[in-house]
Amino acid sequence: PSASQVLEFLAGVISHPRVMNSSMAGSETKPGRPRHVKFCDTPTSEMPLPEGTNPEIACKYVSNCQAALSNLGIQAGFAPVPPPLMQEIIRGQIEANFAQRSQNISSLALMPGLRHVEGFTTRFGLSLCESTLALWQADPWSKVPPSKRRPIKVSFVIATDENGNVFRAQGFAALLGDPLEGGEGLGLGLYKKPELAWLALQGGEDAEVEEASVSAQSMLLMPESEIPFEDLDDIERHSWPVPSALLLPLFCKFETSAEGKTAERADTITMTRPALMELMWFELAMQAIAQLFGNGGELLGEDAEDLSMAVGPLSVLGTSYAAKGHLKLKEVTVECPVRSTE
C-alpha cells in the first residue's frame, strides 16, 4: 500500500478503535490509541540489512508517515519482521491460504524462490533478469513466427582453473509462444537433445517420445500472479530489471514420465526450479540469442525448410555470475538451424 493508504487506515483505527486481535476477544481490555507504530516495507522486511543502511531512511513508510503521525502524538519507527513471523505466519499461513482462495493467484506462486537454489546469489539474480530483458528487447518471437522456428544450439566453454582445464556444455533452445496472442507465455525452452527442441516447436503433435522420462527447463514471461512470492520480493527488494510490471520471468523445470507416449499424454508432470548450472545456461543463452537477432537473426524465419541457410557457429559475448565473482568464459557460440534427426 502507499503511505497515504497506510495513514488513512491508521486514522480509521484511531477514530473507531476496535480490538483486532482475536486472542483478546472477550477480554476486559479496552481498545485505545497507539502510542508507537513500527514499520517495514519489502526491501527492509528481513534482517540483516546491507551494511551502512539506515532503516529509518530506507523504509518508505517511516520517512513518509513520520511527520503526519507525529501531529497525532504517535511516534513512528522501524522494526524488521521477526523471522518466525515471516516464515510461519506470513509465508506458511497468510500467503498460502490467500493463494488457495483466490482465482487470480496460481499455485506457482507457492513454489520456493530462486534464492533457495544451491549456489544462487543476488548478483546472479540480477544477471538473469538483465539477460531476460536483453532477450525481450531483441524480440525474436516477432521476427520469427512460430511456423518458421527452428532449434538454436548454444554452447559455452568455461575455464575451471589456471592449468587450462575447461568445462564444456551445450543445449538446444526453442522460442516459445506467439506474440499475436499477447506477451504472456512468451519464453525460451532448454532441451538436452535437438529432437526434443523440435518436438516443443511442433507442439508435441504426432511425435513419439522414446525416453522413459523427459526433462526440460523454460523461462516464461508471466503475470505477477504466476510468479513465486519470494521471487517477487527479491525483484522488488534488489531492483532487478524486468520487461514490465505485467511480464516477469518464471524459471521452471519440467520432468515428465512419457514412455511410449506423446509429450501431451505424459503420465505425470513434476515442476521444480532449475539447478544453478541450468540457470547459468539460460543466462548465457538469452545473451547469445539477443545478439544473434541483433546480427541478421531475422533471416532464420525466411524458409524453415531450407537447412542450407545455416547461421553459425558464431562466437558471441557472454558474461556469467553463476559463481562467486566472475566466471572465466573462454567461448560462447550460437548456431542455427539444427537439423532434425527424423
Side-chain angles (χ1 to χ4, degrees):
S2 66
S4 61
Q5 289 174 317
V6 171
L7 288 171
E8 182 181 356
F9 172 79
L10 290 175
V13 172
I14 292 171
S15 60
H16 298 84
R18 289 180 294 177
V19 177
M20 302 182 68
N21 191 332
S22 61
S23 65
M24 298 178 66
S27 68
E28 297 181 357
T29 302
K30 295 182 179 181
R33 174 181 297 205
R35 294 188 296 272
H36 303 274
V37 176
K38 300 292 186 180
F39 291 106
C40 67
D41 55 8
T42 298
T44 58
S45 61
E46 296 180 81
M47 294 294 273
L49 294 175
E51 186 175 352
T53 300
N54 182 349
E56 302 287 339
I57 299 175
C59 177
K60 62 183 181 183
Y61 295 118
V62 176
S63 57
N64 292 333
C65 298
Q66 206 163 32
L69 290 175
S70 178
N71 293 334
L72 298 174
I74 300 174
Q75 182 179 356
F78 170 82
V81 179
L85 177 63
M86 175 71 75
Q87 295 300 323
E88 298 172 15
I89 306 300
I90 297 178
R91 294 277 182 245
Q93 298 180 27
I94 297 176
E95 289 181 346
N97 290 335
F98 175 74
Q100 292 171 3
R101 292 195 303 267
S102 173
Q103 295 180 353
N104 298 321
I105 298 294
S106 166
S107 59
L108 294 173
L110 301 180
M111 291 179 65
L114 289 175
R115 68 174 82 159
H116 296 292
V117 173
E118 185 175 358
F120 189 88
T121 63
T122 300
R123 184 63 186 86
F124 182 42
L126 172 62
S127 183
L128 268 180
C129 287
E130 290 174 337
S131 301
T132 302
L133 184 60
L135 183 67
W136 167 256
Q137 293 171 338
D139 193 16
W141 303 278
S142 296
K143 295 174 180 176
V144 183
S147 62
K148 295 185 177 181
R149 293 176 187 167
R150 290 165 287 181
I152 302 173
K153 178 182 177 181
V154 179
S155 310
F156 57 88
V157 181
I158 304 172
T160 57
D161 55 36
E162 302 298 330
N163 300 322
N165 295 317
V166 297
F167 172 79
R168 301 177 184 271
Q170 68 177 27
F172 301 89
L175 295 172
L176 306 175
D178 188 344
L180 297 179
E181 298 177 359
E184 182 178 334
L186 295 180
L188 190 70
L190 163 63
Y191 307 89
K192 295 180 180 179
K193 298 181 179 181
E195 54 266 31
L196 295 177
W198 278 105
L199 177 62
L201 291 172
Q202 296 164 2
E205 296 178 2
D206 300 323
E208 294 296 319
V209 180
E210 296 180 357
E211 288 86 350
S213 62
V214 176
S215 175
Q217 290 74 239
S218 66
M219 183 286 296
L220 299 173
L221 296 174
M222 303 296 286
E224 186 179 82
S225 59
E226 302 285 341
I227 305 299
F229 289 124
E230 291 180 328
D231 286 357
L232 293 176
D233 287 347
D234 287 335
I235 288 171
E236 180 179 350
R237 178 183 293 112
H238 305 300
S239 300
W240 292 343
V242 293
S244 76
L246 301 178
L247 289 177
L248 300 97
L250 171 65
F251 294 90
C252 50
K253 181 175 183 178
F254 300 90
E255 292 183 313
T256 64
S257 172
E259 185 173 5
K261 301 177 181 290
T262 66
E264 291 182 344
R265 296 196 298 270
D267 288 336
T268 59
I269 299 178
T270 302
M271 186 164 55
T272 58
R273 308 314 297 267
L276 188 71
M277 288 302 297
E278 293 164 339
L279 290 171
M280 174 187 172
W281 189 95
F282 275 112
E283 177 191 31
L284 294 173
M286 291 189 293
Q287 295 174 26
I289 295 172
Q291 293 177 60
L292 172 66
F293 279 85
N295 293 280
E298 295 88 342
L299 295 175
L300 300 178
E302 292 295 328
D303 189 348
E305 301 302 323
D306 183 4
L307 295 181
S308 67
M309 293 176 56
V311 177
L314 302 175
S315 293
V316 296
L317 298 175
T319 303
S320 178
Y321 290 88
K324 291 183 178 179
H326 216 114
L327 281 178
K328 295 182 179 179
L329 290 168
K330 296 177 68 67
E331 180 183 4
V332 180
T333 59
V334 59
E335 180 180 357
C336 185
V338 178
R339 289 184 179 273
S340 172
T341 57
E342 294 178 353

